[in-house]
Amino acid sequence: MHVIKRKTLIEFYSQPGHQDAKGFLEAWNNEAKHAQWISPAEVKDRYPSASILKGNRVVFNVGGNKYRLVVKINYGSKTVFVRFIGTHAEYDKIDAEVI
């Protein structure tokens, strides 16, 4: 998979107070780059706590559900678009199916 906007992940975990997300986000990015996901079910098999939403969006829990990562996956073109990374409180203020 091609991950679009890795820079967003780096900017997030480089902020004061968010360094605890670095390990998960770097591991997730590395795994996503090498993944060959062809369906939401395959993502869910690997990340059982992930939530599958409409519009090929997936929400990953980061840091024991302290943070949320929202991506949009185009399975046909093997592309993952980082749409949002933020605290649980910030996530509550967005519409993850649209962002």
Side-chain angles (χ1 to χ4, degrees):
M1 306 295 274
H2 181 68
V3 179
I4 304 292
K5 287 292 198 167
R6 177 174 181 261
K7 181 180 176 183
T8 301
L9 304 177
I10 295 168
E11 288 172 351
F12 180 78
Y13 69 64
S14 296
Q15 295 176 36
H18 295 164
Q19 292 87 3
D20 56 337
K22 181 178 180 177
F24 175 88
L25 293 174
E26 284 296 316
W28 176 87
N29 181 70
N30 188 50
E31 184 167 345
K33 283 190 327 185
H34 295 96
Q36 295 296 317
W37 297 319
I38 60 170
S39 71
E42 285 192 353
V43 177
K44 188 75 171 168
D45 284 345
R46 173 61 186 102
Y47 294 94
S49 67
S51 299
I52 307 299
L53 306 179
K54 293 183 210 173
N56 289 326
R57 284 171 173 73
V58 181
V59 180
F60 296 93
N61 298 315
V62 180
N65 208 21
K66 183 176 179 182
Y67 309 112
R68 296 281 180 97
L69 169 64
V70 180
V71 301
K72 181 177 181 178
I73 302 175
N74 183 318
Y75 297 97
S77 69
K78 303 289 186 201
T79 308
V80 179
F81 301 90
V82 174
R83 305 299 296 163
F84 171 86
I85 177 71
T87 65
H88 197 286
E90 292 167 334
Y91 171 82
D92 288 342
K93 296 176 184 176
I94 66 162
D95 183 348
E97 292 181 352
V98 180
I99 197 165

